[in-house]
Amino acid sequence: MMEESILQSDKALTDEQKARAEERAKKEAAERERKLMMQKQKEHKEAMDAHIRSLSENISQLENKMQREKDNYLREQERVLDHKMKALRELLLEGVEEKFDDLRREIKLMEEEIEAEKHSPIQNFLDIAGNVFAAALPMLCNIGMQILSNYIAG
């Protein structure tokens, strides 16, 4: 009877040790899984941050290119306008009134075009759109990261 009691006590102790070992193994596996998920989330965030930086650089480069093209266009228009003004003065001196009036109309139209280009609604729209996009991009990425975190955690 005593032997039986000792054997049962020994078996109970072994079962308890097995249960503890199983519980410890489950906790370790869960911790490894949590660390793996955190690493994946960190890598995804780094990739998103790099993508945001790349997009911001591309936007900045595009804005700079658009400004350079606009400046070049305006310089060329000013050069043509100067040339026509010089021709107008020469015609005026020669007394050719008909050509004088034609060139004067062309000059007036070009001046209006140059002024309109300086205040182009398309340029204003692109400036505003670029600013809005640059401001909204980090917020959208944060929302995406929150959704991804909830999906991974869920």
Side-chain angles (χ1 to χ4, degrees):
M1 182 97 131
M2 183 68 128
E3 290 174 14
E4 204 174 293
S5 173
I6 290 174
L7 283 175
Q8 284 179 348
S9 176
D10 212 21
K11 185 177 187 257
L13 184 59
T14 303
D15 289 344
E16 185 179 323
Q17 288 173 339
K18 284 182 186 177
R20 285 184 190 160
E22 286 176 10
E23 184 65 29
R24 190 171 38 253
K26 285 181 184 178
K27 285 182 181 179
E28 289 172 358
E31 181 62 19
R32 282 191 305 273
E33 182 68 24
R34 185 188 70 76
K35 285 181 179 179
L36 180 62
M37 294 298 274
M38 294 294 286
Q39 181 63 30
K40 285 182 180 180
Q41 186 176 8
K42 179 183 174 189
E43 290 170 1
H44 184 72
K45 182 180 182 328
E46 289 171 354
M48 291 292 288
D49 290 345
H51 189 67
I52 289 170
R53 280 190 303 276
S54 175
L55 285 175
S56 294
E57 288 173 14
N58 289 344
I59 289 170
S60 177
Q61 290 172 0
L62 181 60
E63 287 173 344
N64 289 338
K65 181 182 177 189
M66 288 172 56
Q67 187 61 46
R68 283 191 311 272
E69 287 176 357
K70 180 181 177 183
D71 291 345
N72 288 341
Y73 173 77
L74 290 173
R75 267 194 302 277
E76 179 62 19
Q77 292 294 74
E78 293 285 345
R79 188 191 65 75
V80 170
L81 180 61
D82 288 343
H83 176 73
K84 290 189 180 209
M85 291 287 277
K86 185 177 179 181
L88 179 63
R89 281 189 291 275
E90 289 173 6
L91 287 174
L92 183 59
L93 293 175
E94 293 174 7
V96 184
E97 283 190 39
E98 186 177 320
K99 278 282 200 181
F100 176 83
D101 289 338
D102 290 344
L103 272 174
R104 192 177 54 182
R105 280 191 290 278
E106 278 186 46
I107 289 170
K108 183 172 168 76
L109 283 172
M110 285 194 76
E111 287 174 336
E112 291 171 0
E113 285 177 12
I114 290 170
E115 198 59 36
E117 183 63 32
K118 288 180 181 176
H119 304 291
S120 166
I122 292 173
Q123 182 64 41
N124 292 340
F125 171 78
L126 291 174
D127 290 343
I128 291 169
N131 291 338
V132 168
F133 184 74
L137 191 59
M139 181 181 68
L140 292 174
C141 288
N142 284 337
I143 291 170
M145 289 300 296
Q146 288 174 352
I147 291 171
L148 180 63
S149 295
N150 289 341
Y151 178 74
I152 290 173

